[in-house]
Amino acid sequence: NTIEFTGALHETVVKQVRLKNPSGKTLQYGAILVGRDADDFSVPKGNTVTIRPRRQTTINVEFTSRFLRPAEAVLLLITKRVGGIEGVTLAFSLKSEVNHVEP
């Protein structure tokens, strides 16, 4: 899955990622940003995401552009074992585009 961030130079763009837990056990993920421009992206509410059984949650991913060139990174959500259950690792491609420059 690819998440695209489009905005003005030096603007912060926020996107939401929805995560679902269909199991009967709590899932916990650790969020890691990797790649060439990983420092331009962030998960502002911390790097741990907990999803209760049969629920869903959203996490915010922020991008602040520093350059005109497109930025790229990968958001990895790696499960942490909670109560003997382990989910799958999720990966999202993060890409940006600067579409406006103000003097």
Side-chain angles (χ1 to χ4, degrees):
N1 293 334
T2 300
I3 303 169
E4 296 185 10
F5 297 81
T6 303
L9 184 63
H10 302 297
E11 177 184 37
T12 298
V13 179
V14 179
K15 294 286 185 162
Q16 291 186 326
V17 177
R18 185 181 330 177
L19 303 170
K20 295 181 182 181
N21 179 4
S23 76
K25 304 266 185 175
T26 298
L27 287 177
Q28 191 172 60
Y29 287 95
I32 300 171
L33 292 161
V34 296
R36 177 185 74 190
D37 302 306
D39 291 342
D40 296 332
F41 295 89
S42 67
V43 180
K45 289 192 177 181
N47 293 335
T48 302
V49 180
T50 303
I51 311 169
R52 300 214 181 271
R54 295 181 182 80
R55 302 278 179 156
Q56 64 183 12
T57 190
T58 57
I59 60 170
N60 290 339
V61 180
E62 292 183 357
F63 169 74
T64 303
S65 61
R66 298 183 300 147
F67 306 105
L68 289 174
R69 67 168 171 75
E72 295 181 2
V74 175
L75 170 64
L76 292 174
L77 295 170
I78 301 171
T79 59
K80 297 179 179 181
R81 189 175 291 267
V82 177
I85 190 167
E86 193 170 327
V88 297
T89 297
L90 304 172
F92 297 91
S93 175
L94 309 176
K95 297 187 181 214
S96 74
E97 178 185 352
V98 173
N99 65 352
H100 183 71
V101 178
E102 291 195 24

